[in-house]
């Protein structure tokens, strides 16, 4: 974005080498001091090595972009399946959650704005998690940890607690039969911004919508929609 307020894209793009096979990239002002987005890169491992989460600090200028690799987290198996990044407003911290399928666990990390690094904030046993999400499902000010477990093919959550931890016991919701594997997940506000629903895509071209009523977690059986009808 130049001084005149015009957005310009570099051609060719800037290349930032990473330590694995990049799966997803998150852009956010992780350090909170320069109003510049930094990058969190989620990688599969290479040649049997561990998957990695890498934190890059960016320094854009009129001459271009420079960067520094600040931190590498490599606590995972070769193919951790998913990662999410969100800001915990009441704690003023960034949080990362990783679905470490190879080790049947969800791993959580936290970083305050004045801290240079993410630190481990807990490991939670799961049955081969393949999708993970940080979001305040019951709208109480605490981020909750949601996941899809491949082992049971179910959606569940761990309620967020004061201090940024999550319930030791997971709550699972029913999954209707005949819809294949659960593969993608997203939290969505209802049309009046008073409740959070969870939409989950399936391997059969459908999506399941788990609904909540007001300030509560989603409950009951989901509504099932065919993507071919939209």
């Amino acid at each position: 974005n130049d001084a005149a307020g015009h957005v310009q894209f570099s051609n060719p793009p800037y290349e930032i080498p990473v330590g694995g096979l990049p799966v997803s990239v998150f852009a956010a002002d992780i350090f909170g001091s320069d109003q510049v987005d930094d990058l969190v890169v989620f990688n599969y491992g290479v040649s049997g090595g561990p998957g990695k989460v890498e934190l890059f600090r960016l320094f854009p200028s009129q001459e271009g972009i420079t960067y520094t690799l600040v931190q590498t987290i490599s606590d995972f198996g070769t193919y951790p399946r998913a990662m999410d990044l969100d800001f915990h407003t009441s704690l003023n911290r960034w949080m990362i959650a990783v679905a470490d399928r190879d080790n049947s666990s969800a791993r959580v990390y936290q970083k305050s704005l004045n801290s240079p690094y993410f630190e481990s904030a807990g490991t939670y046993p799961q049955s081969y998690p393949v999708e993970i999400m940080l979001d305040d499902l019951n709208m109480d000010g605490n981020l909750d940890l949601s996941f899809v477990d491949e082992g049971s093919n179910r959606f569940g959550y761990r309620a967020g607690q004061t201090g940024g931890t999550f319930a030791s016991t997971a709550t699972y919701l029913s999954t209707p039969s005949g819809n294949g594997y659960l593969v993608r997940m997203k939290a969505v506000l209802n049309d009046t911004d008073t409740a959070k629903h969870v939409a989950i895509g399936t391997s059969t071209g459908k999506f399941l919508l788990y609904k909540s009523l007001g300030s509560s977690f989603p409950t009951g059986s989901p509504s099932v929609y065919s993507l071919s009808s939209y």
Side-chain angles (χ1 to χ4, degrees):
N1 193 345
D2 65 17
H6 302 125
V7 176
Q8 301 183 19
F9 292 95
S10 58
N11 186 17
Y14 294 99
E15 295 184 5
I16 299 178
V18 298
L21 301 175
V23 180
S24 56
V25 178
F26 298 79
D29 186 7
I30 300 296
F31 294 92
S33 58
D34 53 10
Q35 296 182 337
V36 172
D37 277 353
D38 307 293
L39 295 182
V40 179
V41 183
F42 173 58
N43 303 287
Y44 284 164
V46 177
S47 301
K52 298 177 181 179
V53 173
E54 296 178 306
L55 172 59
F56 291 90
R57 189 163 189 176
L58 302 186
F59 302 95
S61 67
Q62 292 183 350
E63 290 74 34
I65 294 177
T66 58
Y67 61 88
T68 299
L69 175 59
V70 176
Q71 182 179 14
T72 299
I73 304 171
S74 55
D75 299 333
F76 324 110
T78 302
Y79 296 111
R81 292 303 178 90
M83 181 197 125
D84 198 16
L85 169 78
D86 207 338
F87 189 71
H88 199 307
T89 305
S90 62
L91 295 178
N92 209 31
R93 298 176 191 168
W94 285 101
M95 297 187 70
I96 286 174
V98 175
D100 187 7
R101 182 194 180 280
D102 294 349
N103 294 309
S104 294
S105 63
R107 299 182 184 272
V108 180
Y109 304 85
Q110 294 184 14
K111 177 192 171 304
S112 62
L113 292 180
N114 57 6
S115 171
Y117 306 114
F118 281 92
E119 297 179 352
S120 176
T123 300
Y124 299 86
Q126 301 294 153
S127 179
Y128 303 109
V130 293
E131 185 71 351
I132 202 160
M133 179 174 67
L134 290 165
D135 206 296
D136 185 5
L137 295 183
N138 64 336
M139 304 177 74
D140 67 347
N142 294 315
L143 291 178
D144 306 300
L145 182 66
S146 305
F147 43 82
V148 169
D149 281 354
E150 185 180 61
S152 61
N153 199 38
R154 290 190 295 173
F155 155 66
Y157 63 85
R158 294 177 184 269
Q161 300 175 330
T162 303
T165 59
F166 302 96
S168 58
T169 301
T171 299
Y172 288 94
L173 279 71
S174 63
T175 303
S177 60
N179 293 294
Y181 295 107
L182 309 184
V183 292
R184 289 291 182 267
M185 176 172 56
K186 183 71 175 177
V188 292
L189 279 167
N190 67 352
D191 55 357
T192 59
D193 293 348
T194 57
K196 285 280 183 73
H197 304 330
V198 175
I200 301 177
T202 77
S203 61
T204 58
K206 300 177 181 178
F207 73 89
L208 314 180
L209 187 65
Y210 291 88
K211 299 180 180 180
S212 64
L213 300 174
S215 299
S216 64
F217 288 102
T219 58
S221 298
S223 301
V224 182
Y225 299 91
S226 173
L227 296 178
S228 61
S229 65
Y230 288 86

